[in-house]
Amino acid sequence: MTPRISLLIASLHVLLYLVLTVRVVLHRNVHKIGIGTGGDETLSRKVRVHANFIEYVPLGLLLLALLELAAVNTTLLWAFGIALLVARVLHAIGLGGSAGYSFGRGTGALLTFATLFAMAAFGIWRFVIGAMIVA
């Protein structure tokens, strides 16, 4: 079985990752900042958006792929994958625009946590059901 849904969702996340990366690189080049943020508040936010993406997305994509390999319903897989992508876009827009609270940052963070929790809960449930069938 090829995990086609998680492959597409992961590929879309990689495109978003590259956009976030290019934003940091271009800012560094324009402002001649090599390491760190040089006290540049805008660069600090861009770096934080990029880092936050890396902190949450890999685990979510791994779990999505494992759920797909466990033959979870495709509608759930699409919902989880799209929710994670929307959450990360909202978070990037929100935090990228302001270091304080914003709709995008708050909603993106909450949706990320909810999606990760739902995938983990479903993975545990799937394991328990599978163990009951085997036993």
Side-chain angles (χ1 to χ4, degrees), residues 23-49 95-99:
R23 291 181 64 222
V24 171
V25 169
L26 290 177
H27 193 101
R28 285 185 185 285
N29 288 340
V30 167
H31 297 281
K32 308 293 186 231
I33 301 170
I35 296 183
T37 60
D40 186 315
E41 198 58 41
T42 301
L43 179 57
S44 293
R45 278 196 318 277
K46 289 178 181 180
V47 166
R48 196 60 222 129
V49 168
L95 182 56
S98 167

Side-chain angles (χ1 to χ4, degrees), residues 100-123:
Y101 177 80
S102 67
F103 173 80
R105 183 178 185 186
T107 304
L110 184 61
L111 185 56
T112 297
F113 299 152
T115 303
L116 291 175
F117 178 80
M119 287 193 295
F122 203 86

Side-chain angles (χ1 to χ4, degrees), residues 44-120:
S44 293
R45 278 196 318 277
K46 289 178 181 180
V47 166
R48 196 60 222 129
V49 168
H50 182 263
N52 193 276
F53 184 93
I54 290 304
E55 292 166 3
Y56 290 97
V57 171
L59 195 55
L61 294 176
L62 174 62
L63 194 48
L64 183 67
L66 291 171
L67 289 171
E68 186 167 6
L69 290 172
V72 167
N73 180 288
T74 58
T75 302
L76 276 176
L77 295 171
W78 281 114
F80 291 150
I82 291 169
L84 185 61
L85 185 60
V86 168
R88 299 323 301 164
V89 168
L90 286 171
H91 187 270
I93 291 169
L95 182 56
S98 167
Y101 177 80
S102 67
F103 173 80
R105 183 178 185 186
T107 304
L110 184 61
L111 185 56
T112 297
F113 299 152
T115 303
L116 291 175
F117 178 80
M119 287 193 295

